[in-house]
Amino acid sequence: MVARAALVYLAALVMVRWGEKRFMGKNTAFDVILGVILGSVVSRAINSTADIAPTLAAGFMLVGLHWGFASLAFRSDHFGTLVKSHTRVLVQDGHINWDEMRRAHMSRDDLLGALRAEGVENPSRVKEARLERSGEVSVVTRTPEPRILEAVIEDGVLKVVLKLR
């Protein structure tokens, strides 16, 4: 059992390196699924519920299939959307898009929490907030319009004081 565990560990390490660590970080459900299935498959090789060679071959096949799908998704936006979904615009120019919020099953509190995590207190300060493929919310804040506080002419020179924030 110890030898099998060591062999499976080394083979899984090779699989993860071959998979270029894509499924180990914050990524799409497409990536997470591989991590879950790969863990389930290689565990069978450790606990002897399956022959070691075919089990490791299945693990390598899964990583190869994942790599192939990722490559196709890179080359084809349509295929990428099919396997990874698409982004949703949750806030546009300070206005919450409730239709997209419903489709994403996000509450107002979920959105406000995601905005606070990005340092934004109020949706009105958001130019655009998107629910990304990874499940993270990305936020682009609005650039405030400059306001003229004072404009005076002194000695033929126009002096303007602006408020930028």
Side-chain angles (χ1 to χ4, degrees), residues 13-21 59-61 63-65 67:
L13 184 62
V14 170
M15 288 179 215
V16 170
R17 295 289 294 142
W18 186 45
E20 299 178 13
K21 298 182 209 174
F60 279 108
M61 184 278 307
V63 172
L65 186 63
W67 186 86

Side-chain angles (χ1 to χ4, degrees), residues 90-98 108 111-112 115-116 119-129 139-145:
L90 303 176
V91 180
Q92 184 74 49
D93 295 323
H95 300 286
I96 298 173
N97 184 338
W98 290 108
R108 178 178 174 80
L111 175 65
L112 294 177
L115 295 179
R116 281 191 302 273
V120 179
E121 290 291 323
N122 191 325
S124 66
R125 293 197 49 237
V126 175
K127 179 178 180 181
E128 184 177 270
V139 180
V140 178
T141 56
R142 297 169 111 175
T143 305
E145 295 291 323

Side-chain angles (χ1 to χ4, degrees), residues 3-93:
R4 288 175 73 94
L7 180 60
V8 170
Y9 175 79
L10 292 173
L13 184 62
V14 170
M15 288 179 215
V16 170
R17 295 289 294 142
W18 186 45
E20 299 178 13
K21 298 182 209 174
R22 279 188 44 87
F23 60 91
M24 299 306 292
K26 287 186 177 180
N27 283 296
T28 64
F30 167 73
D31 298 316
V32 173
I33 287 169
L34 175 64
V36 171
I37 293 174
L38 186 61
S40 175
V41 167
V42 298
S43 71
R44 294 167 188 252
I46 293 174
N47 64 22
S48 303
T49 58
D51 290 334
I52 196 163
T55 303
L56 293 180
F60 279 108
M61 184 278 307
L62 287 169
V63 172
L65 186 63
H66 183 265
W67 186 86
F69 275 20
S71 182
L72 282 172
F74 174 75
R75 289 172 177 74
S76 166
D77 289 336
H78 179 70
F79 187 76
T81 300
L82 180 69
V83 297
K84 296 182 181 183
S85 188
H86 62 279
T87 64
R88 295 186 184 279
V89 178
L90 303 176
V91 180
Q92 184 74 49
D93 295 323

